[in-house]
Amino acid sequence: MKPIYMDNNATTRVAPEVVEAMLPYFSDLYGNPSSMHAFGGNVGATLKAAREQVATLLGAMPEEILFTSCGTESDSTAIHAAIRANPDKRHIITTRVEHPAVKSLCEHLADNGYRVTFVPVDRLGRLDLDFLYKHLSDDTAIVSVMWANNETGTIFPVEEIARKVRERGIVFHSDAVQAVGKIPINMADSSIDMLSISGHKLHAPKGVGVLYIRKGTKFAPFLMGGHQEFGRRAGTENTASIIGMGRAAQLAMECMQDENTRVRALRDKLETELLKRVPKSMINGDPENRLPNTTSIAFEYIEGEAILLLMDQYGICASSGSACTSGSLEPSHVLRAMGVPFTAAHGSIRYSLSIYNTEEEIDFIIEKMPPIIERLRQMSPFWKEGMIA
Ligand SMILES: *Cc1c(COP(=O)(O)O)cnc(C)c1O
């Protein structure tokens, strides 16, 4: 059975065009791009082209593109680079709703002598900007705010924040892993200093990422060794994946229109119909400023994990709003930060679409979901209590 894949914020299918671009670099074209001979040098030339393709997608200069091993490495490199380039500054500002790649690192730094301010969000997941601006200080080494949230799709006003942060001479980083390819990004016309992206969220393979570093930004490398990546990240390049990333960047530009029209319409149809057909259901997040591919829907009084299991029997892949940590089902930190009630956070399902989804798939889900929810609610003591209350 072919899966109905609605979990594209977790990972995406590698585009067939990307596979095709990569294949020769596993077989015939295995040269080392740093070699002096033409066999390696030719691979180096293709790597250079891939860097230009990614730069074009971001409106950046090729020398501002650093290839990494993943989005997590890009986030970690940006934050470490800022604090090591400003050793006398001991304060970091981030948000309560970041991806674990930023959240866990900042919590670790908070345990190791840094003061970390986590900016709160409101019930719709919108940042408290006054709170953020009030906490900027001469001691702040970096402000890191994601462009779009992976769980709810909420888009944050990062350009506006970056302008204010730059006025104070502070470095601004954004985790744009979920934003790139879905909404326009133009670094030429931006105050953002560093930006993270990940290959596998963009129809390139897993294990390749990009950190954009604005020309002139103070930088301290993490991996030391050879001169790869302009001396900013040693280690022989993951050539095939980087070449795939370049091709994926080209495709992302071609597909942005489809993402914002057809995919958005499919998402809207799914959401409208589910909210209409399932009582006690609601959207998590800001319905206005939102990625075109994502909807997080809370089905109150039932367990997300149970919903996913029943969906799985039909081959429908999605994610829930809770994380199974140490045997207990904790609602996600994002939904908790938004103050989503416990009974709703637990039954939250994230559907995240891609250009490969079809209307038939959406219609199938619209048909299958209401009986799944109904069946689980009939077994739920919370549902009956909730109905009485
Ligand atoms: C997936 C994701 C990451 C991590 O990217 P990896 O390449 O899996 O390390 C970081 N931030 C956000 C918002 C993500 O969705």
Side-chain angles (χ1 to χ4, degrees), residues 197-219:
I197 66 181
S198 170
H200 74 103
K201 305 290 175 77
L202 193 70
H203 304 293
K206 295 160 185 66
V208 61
V210 166
L211 179 63
Y212 160 91
I213 308 166
R214 182 174 299 285
K215 208 173 167 176
T217 306
K218 278 202 257 173
F219 185 82

Side-chain angles (χ1 to χ4, degrees), residues 9-10 69-73 75 99 101 146 148-150 175-178 197-201 207-208:
N9 288 9
S69 71
C70 59
T72 302
E73 186 192 322
D75 286 340
H99 185 274
M146 71 196 324
N149 187 269
N150 45 302
D175 176 336
V177 169
Q178 292 295 344
I197 66 181
S198 170
H200 74 103
K201 305 290 175 77
V208 61

